[in-house]
């Protein structure tokens, strides 16, 4: 079984090196690693190119957007299984090995797993929250398993079948869109609890306005697929999360010192008006 891993990347100079190092230090190495540079204007391409001598392939996709970059990567990949992570994902050392184990079952078309935030405190709480909101809530709303774009894989045959059904974007959750179409095609998606891949908390560390704009894509994706009840449920969960959780989470992230693993009141007030970069 040949495994390829695809990493779409746009202006990811701060994280792409760490992502690639984690992939290159697997207990069971990936057979192919592809970085798809999507018109980056920073040093993303330069950094990724340094890894060519270690077997990383770098391709460029000029059509802007996550969906075109993802599609280009999946189309270019030569593996039997096509992994997909984000540039800020840092997979655990046995991630590829667990993919091999999951896809040993021929009835499985796609696999996904949970994540936590490596640059945020309370990692067990973060893992439980991500599992709840990104997997369990979506499964309840849609009635079938979801995919988590930062930590997923599907077979090459499955991609060939779903490719022309997948929506072009840009205003969609591309992983949710894929999961919906896979379900409609009768493909089996497995949630694998031990397939874990930590990610950055930068998406939830921005402003309320930025997070609201990002999350509205959630219910929009359901709506465009005719899943009105799921869209209403996603709106309700989003509203509750923004009202009840966002203030406390934002304060905690601003006070957190990731290198020391501690909370700092001084850091909280010195950074109160700053926001982490949003991808």
């Amino acid at each position: 079984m040949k495994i390829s891993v695809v990493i779409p990347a746009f202006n990811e100079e701060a994280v792409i090196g760490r992502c690639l190092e984690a992939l290159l230090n697997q207990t069971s190495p990936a057979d192919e690693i592809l970085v798809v540079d999507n018109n980056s204007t920073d040093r993303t391409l330069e950094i990724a190119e340094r890894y060519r001598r270690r077997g990383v392939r770098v391709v460029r996709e000029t059509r802007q957007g996550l969906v075109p970059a993802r599609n280009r990567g999946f189309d270019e990949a030569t593996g039997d299984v096509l992994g997909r992570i984000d540039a800020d994902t840092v997979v655990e050392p046995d991630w590829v090995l667990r993919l091999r184990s999951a896809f040993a079952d021929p009835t499985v078309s796609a696999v996904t797993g949970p994540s936590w935030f490596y640059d945020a405190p309370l990692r067990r709480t973060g893992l439980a929250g991500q599992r709840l909101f990104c997997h369990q809530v979506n499964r309840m709303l849609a009635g079938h398993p979801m995919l988590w774009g930062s930590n997923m894989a599907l077979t090459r045959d499955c991609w060939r079948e779903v490719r022309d059904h997948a929506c072009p974007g840009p205003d969609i959750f591309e992983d949710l869109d894929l999961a919906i179409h896979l379900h409609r095609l009768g493909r089996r998606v497995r949630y694998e609890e031990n397939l874990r891949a930590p990610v950055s908390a930068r998406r939830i560390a921005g402003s309320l306005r930025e997070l609201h704009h990002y999350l509205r894509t959630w219910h929009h994706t359901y709506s465009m697929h005719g899943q009105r009840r799921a869209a209403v449920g996603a709106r309700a969960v989003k509203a509750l999360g923004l009202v009840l959780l966002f203030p406390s989470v934002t304060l905690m992230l601003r006070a957190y010192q990731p290198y020391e693993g501690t909370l700092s009141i001084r850091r909280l007030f010195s950074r109160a008006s700053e926001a982490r970069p949003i991808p």
Side-chain angles (χ1 to χ4, degrees), residues 105-131:
D105 182 348
T107 68
V108 174
S109 295
V111 171
T112 193
S115 297
W116 70 86
F117 301 119
Y118 55 72
D119 50 358
L122 305 176
R123 294 185 179 182
R124 290 185 180 180
T125 302
L127 176 64
Q130 194 275 341
R131 186 191 296 123

Side-chain angles (χ1 to χ4, degrees), residues 110 147 154 158 162 178-187 189:
L147 289 171
L154 72 169
C158 180
V162 77
L178 269 186
I180 291 171
H181 288 293
L182 289 176
H183 176 70
R184 291 177 176 176
L185 291 169
R187 290 284 190 164
V189 176

